[in-house]
């Protein structure tokens, strides 16, 4: 709403309901004697830049022209990694919200 557009850093997100479902899925798998990996990256299918998310929110949720968004004045946070959910998917887990679009569209 202040017109700040976000940076080019990639963000990796997962909807809170998908994360809760993933935890239940893993607990059930463990309870049934299934193998669990030593670690698991939990993210949706769509790494996306902060700028792209903010532009979508500006247009779709706030009715603003994304072209009017300004670049952030202060440095953006660290990171900028695209992580993969291949291992999570290979266990048989299915996302209800495969990208930020599905999650934000409901709100």
């Amino acid at each position: 709403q202040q017109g700040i557009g976000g940076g080019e850093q990639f963000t990796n997100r997962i909807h809170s309901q998908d994360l809760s479902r993933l935890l239940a899925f893993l607990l059930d798998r463990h309870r049934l004697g299934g193998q669990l990996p030593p670690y698991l990256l939990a993210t949706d299918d769509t790494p996306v830049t902060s700028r792209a998310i903010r532009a979508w929110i500006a247009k779709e949720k706030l009715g603003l022209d994304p072209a009017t968004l300004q670049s952030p004045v202060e440095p953006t946070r660290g990171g900028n990694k695209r992580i993969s959910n291949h291992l999570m998917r290979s266990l048989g887990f299915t996302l209800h919200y495969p990208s930020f679009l599905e999650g934000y569209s409901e709100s």
Side-chain angles (χ1 to χ4, degrees), residues 5 8 18 25 38 47 49 56 64 70 89 105:
E8 295 303 323
D18 278 338
F25 173 86
T49 64
W56 183 87
L64 301 173
Q70 303 168 22
R89 294 295 220 155
S105 291

Side-chain angles (χ1 to χ4, degrees), residues 28-89:
D28 282 345
R29 185 178 176 96
H30 177 70
R31 183 180 53 83
L32 297 172
Q35 291 281 359
L36 293 178
Y39 64 90
L40 185 67
L41 300 176
T43 188
D44 68 18
D45 294 338
T46 314
V48 65
T49 64
S50 177
R51 181 179 306 283
I53 292 171
R54 291 176 190 214
W56 183 87
I57 290 171
K59 180 179 179 185
E60 300 299 325
K61 295 296 184 181
L62 302 175
L64 301 173
D65 179 0
T68 64
L69 295 176
Q70 303 168 22
S71 295
V73 176
E74 55 191 62
T76 56
R77 63 177 178 76
N80 197 29
K81 304 285 186 209
R82 295 184 212 188
I83 63 173
S84 170
N85 66 7
H86 175 74
L87 180 56
M88 180 183 81
R89 294 295 220 155

